[in-house]
Amino acid sequence: MTKSDLIDRVCERLDYLTRKDAEVAVNTLFDYLSEQIAADRRIELRGFGSFGTKSRAARRGRNPKTGETVDVPPKRVPYFRAGKSLREEVDQG
């Protein structure tokens, strides 16, 4: 599903919204989620899952093209963990 598909689905479900209003709502939601994750806050959507960040330690890596070793700095990366009901639903289907 793409963002455009999601906007279309919101329009179908909430027929009193115009496509433009649905697009603003979806973009607002995604912007808010992005801001919260960037601020290292955890977001939990009951029955769906949670979003957050994990820290990765610095390490030595290897440039696959040259074989040269490089230092990879520590960083935070976003993650998603599916909720129990979503995992069960996916397993059933």
Side-chain angles (χ1 to χ4, degrees):
M1 174 179 271
T2 64
K3 190 157 115 174
S4 181
D5 294 336
L6 180 59
I7 292 168
D8 291 340
R9 186 69 183 254
V10 169
C11 285
E12 289 171 12
R13 284 268 182 101
L14 305 173
D15 58 354
Y16 54 87
L17 286 180
T18 64
R19 180 161 175 43
K20 183 74 173 165
D21 291 339
E23 186 174 355
V24 167
V26 169
N27 285 334
T28 301
L29 175 65
F30 285 159
D31 290 344
Y32 181 73
L33 291 173
S34 297
E35 288 170 11
Q36 296 305 303
I37 292 170
D40 205 19
R41 294 192 183 99
R42 185 171 177 269
I43 300 165
E44 182 178 332
L45 303 172
R46 298 281 168 143
F48 182 69
S50 61
F51 298 88
T53 59
K54 288 188 177 186
S55 296
R56 291 198 178 158
R59 63 185 175 85
R60 288 223 181 239
R62 187 178 67 83
N63 181 334
K65 189 171 186 178
T66 64
E68 176 186 355
T69 59
V70 293
D71 291 325
V72 179
K75 58 184 165 183
R76 288 183 344 188
V77 294
Y79 77 89
F80 171 74
R81 180 178 168 132
K84 181 180 177 183
S85 59
L86 178 59
R87 285 192 312 266
E88 289 172 354
E89 192 173 324
V90 169
D91 190 38
Q92 302 271 325

